Structures are given as structure tokens and as C-alpha cells.
Amino acid sequence: ILDIGCGKSFLPLYYLYRGSQVWVVDNGEFYSDFDKFYRQILDSRLFLDGDRMNIIWGNFQDIDFPVNHFDLITAVSTLEHLKLGADMNAVMKISSLLKKGGSCIISLPFSQSGTKERFLSNNNGFYFQRDYELNCVYKRIIEPSGLHLKYFYIIGERFPLLGKKIFFGKLLSRYRNLWTKLLAGFFWKIYYKGSDLKVPQFKYPGVIIVILEK
């Protein structure tokens, strides 16, 4: 398993717990201490085999990973931060790294009002983000990869204003990552699952999750 732009995600730890050999890579743009995060968990949790986890600091595009090697590659909330054509180059590299029969899971911000490229701000300063319209997903992600599209999910919020008020208020803001996971089924729903370019107009589209196979 390879997780690109892992940040401080627990997804690689889930695969590690299930017995997989796991690689994580991040350039530290959002989480400069991501490597310490994983090492602290590996040092403190005896049921996780740290020898099966490879923690790599750097730009995914600049690292020589073994080709035709991975059964699964994930890129969760990662490719939308790559400028110009770097997202297309990334999916071509992902394709070269997958084994025959391997799969790739990519999540992206989804837009139904045209693709948007913008700079947003957080505690670390400004960062680039691209919100993908469905045609853009095909042109920049699916087609350049050369992989087979199995299907994609479009996921959106049910009550965005209520969720923002609750999770970013003083009471729950400190633990919002925990609460959003526990209450995900209430605040989020799957609007669509399929592979058609024509999808209905949704009230609160948020994320598209693309499943590709080699």
C-alpha cells in the first residue's frame, strides 16, 4: 500500500493493522511533523509492526518508487494542491507504480459550477487548491492515468451551515476531527455512485472519490 500526501491520516495505520506492507510519503507542507506522528504511534502501540511501514519525507514526484509494485495507492485530498499539470503527471506515475490488477483511490474537492483554482489560507499561510468539475476529473485524472475507471462517488454535506456551527464552535472545535468521524453518517451522504459524465445537480456537492484499476 502507498499513501501519497498522508499527512496525519490513520488510513495507513488501518492497512498496517490489517497486515499490509505500507509506504507513506508527504512533503510536510501541511504537517511538518507527520513523520514524528507515525513514529510515536508505532513506538507506543505494540500491535502495529513498525518494520512493515516505510515513512518517506519528500515530493512524491521526485522519489524513485519501485514500478509495478503496489496493490493499492491512495491519494486523499492531495492532488488538488498540485499546480499546473502536476496532478496529471502524478496520476501517470501512480499508474506506473501499480501492479497489474492493482487499484487507486483518489479524493478531490468537487464542483458543479466549473473548475476553480484558488489560494486559500490556514495557520501555515496560503496554499493552492483546485476544485474539480466532473469533466475536469476525466481530463486531468482519469484519462492521463490510462487506468480503468471502476466508478466514482460524489459525497456531499446534508446540513453544511449546521455542521460548521457545531464543529467550529468553541464547544467541539478542539475535537472536531473525532466528532466529524463519529457523526459522518448524519452530516454527510453519498449523492451518486457510478461512472456517467452526466450526473444530477446536487445541492451541496463536496468531494468526489475516484476508484481506478490497472
Side-chain angles (χ1 to χ4, degrees), residues 83-203:
K83 301 175 186 178
L84 301 176
D87 54 343
M88 294 184 281
N89 292 333
V91 292
M92 287 188 282
K93 181 169 182 176
I94 286 171
S95 178
S96 73
L97 301 181
L98 282 173
K99 291 179 180 177
K100 182 67 175 177
S103 300
C104 174
I105 302 174
I106 298 171
S107 76
L108 303 161
F110 181 64
S111 169
Q112 287 191 296
S113 57
T115 297
K116 302 172 184 176
E117 295 186 347
R118 51 192 174 150
F119 283 89
L120 302 174
S121 62
N122 63 7
N123 294 332
N124 296 324
F126 290 93
Y127 63 94
F128 174 82
Q129 178 171 302
R130 181 184 297 105
D131 296 352
Y132 289 75
E133 190 267 338
L134 189 53
N135 280 308
C136 184
V137 174
Y138 271 82
K139 291 178 181 179
R140 299 187 71 99
I141 303 298
I142 298 171
E143 291 177 357
S145 74
L147 299 172
H148 168 69
L149 172 64
K150 188 173 182 181
Y151 47 79
F152 57 82
Y153 292 96
I154 296 175
I155 301 175
E157 293 184 74
R158 296 179 188 269
F159 318 107
L161 297 179
L162 177 61
K164 183 177 181 180
K165 184 176 181 180
I166 291 176
F167 296 123
F168 289 87
K170 291 183 179 180
L171 181 62
L172 298 181
S173 60
R174 185 175 179 182
Y175 304 103
R176 64 173 174 263
N177 288 336
L178 172 63
W179 286 111
T180 50
K181 288 179 176 63
L182 292 176
L183 300 176
F186 178 75
F187 282 97
W188 291 80
K189 71 174 183 178
I190 297 174
Y191 282 118
Y192 178 85
K193 176 186 176 182
S195 58
D196 198 328
L197 264 174
K198 296 182 180 180
V199 298
Q201 192 76 19
F202 305 116
K203 190 172 183 180

Side-chain angles (χ1 to χ4, degrees), residues 5 24-28 34 55-63 65:
V24 296
V25 58
D26 199 291
N27 64 6
F34 81 94
I55 303 170
I56 302 172
W57 180 291
N59 187 325
F60 163 71
Q61 294 279 46
D62 297 333
I63 298 169
F65 292 99

